[in-house]
Structures are given as structure tokens and as C-alpha cells.
Amino acid sequence: MSEIKIPIGPQHPALKEPESFSLTLEGERIIDAEVKLGYNHRGIEKACESRNYIQDIYLIERICGICSHSHSTCFVQAVEEIAGVEISARAQFIRTIVAELERIHSHLLWLGVAGHEVGFDTLFMYAWRDREAVLDILALISGNRVNYGINTLGGVRRDIDKEQSRKILEIIKQLTERTEYYIKVATNEPTFSGRLSGVGKLSTEKAKELGAVGPTARASSIERDVRRDDPYGAYAQIPFKVITDNHADVLGRTIVRVFELLESYKMLKYLVQNMPEGALTVKVPRRIPAGEAISRYEAPRGEDIHYVRANGTEMPERVKVRAPTLANLAAIREMLRGGFLADFPIVIAAIDPCFSCTDRAIQLVKDNGAETVDWRQLRDYSIDWHKKRGIDLSRI
Amino acid sequence: MANEEIIKSLEAKLAGAVYNIISPRERRIFAETTVQKLVEVTRLLKEWGMINVGAVTGMDGGDKFEVMYHFNDARGLLLNLKVFIPREDPKVPSVVSIFPGAFLYEYELMDLLGIKVEGTPPGRRYPLPDSWPEGQYPLRKDWKGLATETEVKIDE
């Protein structure tokens, strides 16, 4: 049979985020895959060099719409290390609570997408309904569903009060029950595990060799987790297990993420119940002394690395970001080779590549009540805006 | 292992090939080597227990470029190996033969700083588009952006 080369992406219905792939097929089999990265490259590293450290926190938070807190925490940790600043235990706990909430919403989002990609849309709807509860908690704590703006140099910008803690515990209880139910359903449903097992194989040796990270690596029996290996935030104090699995396929990646959800619920419970008292921030000078530091963070998708070089001014000399998806993309080719074209969407989705989920408005209420925009007003504004330009969308 | 022991063991393994070894805190080591010894040092580091290259950072330091390899081990140690290369002739050898996962980071050096990486496997460029003009390296400090009339097409 002759070979055929087909391009997929950057904009393609089978992809949940824009990236360009080129697949070589022989019949239905993928014999080779090539990834062309860079479609989403925005030059953030360069932009960081011409902004001050505080501005950079907000810029870096916008690298990713889902693991925004991961990037900003990773960055501030590096800057705080250079400045020699020790933040309070309470601030560490608040950072870690937001981090685990972020992991839960990210893993639930992933679970939904995985369900959708294999035609199990009920799972998609259930998982995303549950994710809403987590996003509501995040909005309650930070005022935002994504890009929480919790971090600042020297600590956090918002406290978590008793009422919010109570709500977190309430939601965790609900989510634990539901997640356990999904595990039961997924393991007793032969079509689901049958669809996922053996798809997108990545052997332990290959995963190691290609530097895979996060749940992708842990599903290939590699026991690595920055939270345990290089603890930051409050992780040195909280008991948790590193979840691994030996399936080395999409099923394994699903198992790892689902059991990580259960671990995160336990961690959150511990964090909320043992939160120490203390100041939210400590003072950090505007000019960061010359120096360098490298910081690591276990984002929902894996190890995130930030390197910061300071030159004694208000702006960094160099900021380097290595997001987890980049580390996992080297392994994508390996996972796709020999598989079926029909498996392409779920194999890509299984490394949980980052895509933005920011296009949703919430009700914004300023402290002084000066401005409130709800969903309906925003919609009306948009219809009006288009009408003025000759497009009538009011009947849609 | 305590930090001093790690440094001693590293010095014993690399016997003079790396210098300026410092450890600012637990699980962090910074060291320097020369571009001639880079591949050999990388090979020895793998024997010593490093499992992958986590990232490669390139920096424009005026008349010199600095390239830093961030190596991971399995227990949380992060070893940062620096090499300095002249700006007029920026070249480093590829370490892909030792750590195959490093090729994307090497492509990044080539695209963003214009550093030649000798021996890196061929492939589509990353992260800039195929039609990006020659000689434009965004992470160099003297780069102020493309001329406004430059046309850069989206890749196919």
C-alpha cells in the first residue's frame, strides 16, 4: 500500500488546541508523525525582559489559561530565591491550596475531554459539571475563574477566611464521592477501558529517554513528582502518595490522573484544616539583587521549569520558561507511530496539551459597587456592537 | 546525600573538566565547562546519574553567549552546566546523542539566539515560522523587532 502524508492543524476539529501535525499513513496506520511547533509562540520570554518583576508576574500568569497559577508560582519562587526572601507559612499554604484546586479543575477538564474524544460524552458532561464547582471555589477565593492573580512577590494577595475554608471542604466531600463513582463506572465499563488500553503506547525506557514529565511519565511507571522530589510551597509538610501506573498507554494516563484527583482532595482537606496563622506578604525590594535561580513546580501536566537571571535592576535580565507540554511533545511521535489514525485525537489529548479556556464572563462586582457586568449585559453589548456595524445577531 | 558530598562525588567523576562548582541551596548545583569538553562532560554526567535534560537556556551576555544545560536526576537534583561561547562565532555541539529528548531545546537556541548547534538531528524549525527572515534572532539583546513591512506567513 502506498504511503500518504496528511497535514492536521494548526486549526483542526480533531484538535482542542492549535498545533500543526503532519502524519504519514499507510492505510489506517500511522507510520510516522511530525510536529511543527510554534503556532502559539508569543515571545513572552523576550517581553519579560522589558517589564518589571511585578508586571512579569501578570504576564507569566497568562502563558497558559489552565495552569496559570503554576507558571506564576514557579516564577515568583525563583525571584524570591534570588532576593533571599522567605515567605510566611500561611502564604505557602494559600499558594498550595490554589495549586491543588487548579490541579483538580485541570484533571477534571482532562477527564471530560478524554471521555469526549472516545465518544463517552456522558463522562464529559459529568466531569465538566464537577469542574464548575471547583471553578466557583476559585472564583470565590480569587475573584477569577482562571488567572487567579493570587501570587505576588513575597507572598499572596488574598487570604482564605473561615467561610471559604468551609466551602472548600464541602465541595471536596461532594467531589470525592463523585470521583469514586466515576472510577467505578470507568473500571466496570468494558467499552471505555477497551477503547483506551493499548492506545498511544510509551515504554518506560522511551519515556525516560525522551524526558516525558508529569502524568504522562508516571503512567509509564516513572516515579517522578516535583512535589515530592524537590518540595516547594507547603508540600514538604503534607502527606501524599505519588501515583504511578504500569499500563504505559492512554488507559494508564487516565488512571494516574483520576487517582491524583483523590490524592489532591486529601491534600486540600489537610491544607485547609491545618492552615497556620501569619502575615500574607513580606516586603521585597523593587530592585532585585543580581543573581540567578531556577525553580521547579509540578503543574497539572508535569514539571514546569523557570530560570530567572537578575541584574540588580527592576527588570530581569533573562526569564526562561520550559512548560511541561514541550517536554512531552518529544514523546508524541513515539506514541503515534504504529497506531491508527482514529486514535490520533485521544493520543494527543492524553498528554493533556495546554489550551486556553478563558472565554467566559463572570459577574464582576467592584468593591464600591461602581460597575457590574453580568452575562446578559455583556451579550446585549456584543449584539449592539455588531448591529452598529451592520450585522444583526439578535435572533441567534 | 548532603550537598558537600554530592559536590565531592561530582568533582571525583569529572576530574577537572568542570570548574566553579557552587551549590546555592539544597538540590541545586551550578557548574561551568568549556565548549570543547561539553559532550564528554554530558556523557559523564549521564553515567553519574543524570536522567535527562530538563531545559537549555541561552543568554546574550554582550560579547559572549552563555548556554546553560539543566540536567535532572531521579531524586530531585538539578545540575546547571554553563558554557560560554564567543558572539562572533556562536557554536555548541549537540548533546542529542546522549539525551535524545534535548533536540527541541537545541532548536530553540538556533532559532531565538542564532547559536549553531552542530550535529542536532534535522527537523522542522522551532519555535519560529518557516518564513521567518534570515538573521533575525529575537532573544539577542540588540534585537528590537522585525521591520513593520516584513511579511511572515503562517506555516502550512
Side-chain angles (χ1 to χ4, degrees), chain A residues 129-276:
Chain A
R129 175 196 62 184
D130 295 345
R131 176 175 172 261
E132 277 307 298
V134 186
L135 289 182
D136 286 346
I137 286 285
L138 282 164
L140 183 76
I141 294 172
S142 69
N144 293 307
R145 287 163 57 89
V146 289
N147 299 339
Y148 320 108
I150 281 285
N151 286 317
T152 188
L153 291 179
V156 291
R157 292 175 58 239
R158 285 167 193 264
D159 202 0
I160 295 179
D161 64 22
K162 289 237 157 55
E163 178 59 21
Q164 290 167 335
S165 303
R166 196 186 57 75
K167 282 238 167 83
I168 295 176
L169 291 175
E170 204 180 285
I171 295 288
I172 292 171
K173 196 161 163 271
Q174 270 177 27
L175 289 177
T176 313
E177 281 167 21
R178 287 185 188 167
T179 306
E180 278 164 355
Y181 174 68
Y182 302 148
I183 293 174
K184 214 170 84 189
V185 171
T187 47
N188 290 331
E189 176 55 56
T191 52
F192 187 63
S193 52
R195 178 70 185 86
L196 300 181
S197 91
V199 172
K201 276 274 183 193
L202 181 69
S203 67
T204 310
E205 294 71 44
K206 277 285 170 195
K208 252 189 207 150
E209 192 182 299
L210 297 171
V213 294
T216 308
R218 289 195 284 275
S220 294
S221 325
I222 299 178
E223 209 190 327
R224 283 187 68 207
D225 189 321
V226 182
R227 291 175 291 174
R228 186 201 59 190
D229 302 336
D230 190 5
Y232 55 91
Y235 289 112
Q237 301 163 44
I238 28 177
F240 70 99
K241 279 201 302 251
V242 174
I243 309 287
T244 55
D245 189 78
N246 55 14
H247 280 84
D249 53 13
V250 179
L251 181 64
R253 281 159 226 151
T254 311
I255 293 171
V256 166
R257 289 199 179 89
V258 174
F259 283 95
E260 276 187 13
L261 277 174
L262 294 179
E263 280 303 305
S264 289
Y265 299 149
K266 281 186 229 152
M267 285 154 96
L268 266 179
K269 205 168 159 193
Y270 181 91
L271 284 161
V272 169
Q273 285 169 344
N274 295 284
M275 195 141 70

Side-chain angles (χ1 to χ4, degrees), chain B residues 3-6 11 20 24 26 33 46 53 59 62 66 83 86 88 110 114 116 136 139 142:
Chain B
N3 260 6
E4 295 82 46
E5 281 174 49
I6 296 177
E11 277 171 338
N20 289 350
E26 228 187 326
T33 188
K46 190 176 187 178
V53 178
M59 268 168 286
E66 186 178 337
V83 290
E88 312 83 68
M110 300 196 281
K116 285 194 198 77
Q136 298 287 335
L139 277 182
D142 54 5

Side-chain angles (χ1 to χ4, degrees), chain A residues 230 296 317-318 320 322, chain B residues 27 54 58 72 76 108 141:
Chain A
D230 190 5
R296 285 196 285 186
E317 174 77 14
R318 176 84 167 91
K320 162 81 190 169
R322 203 298 314 274
Chain B
R27 297 183 295 272
N72 281 313
E108 220 176 292
K141 291 281 180 190

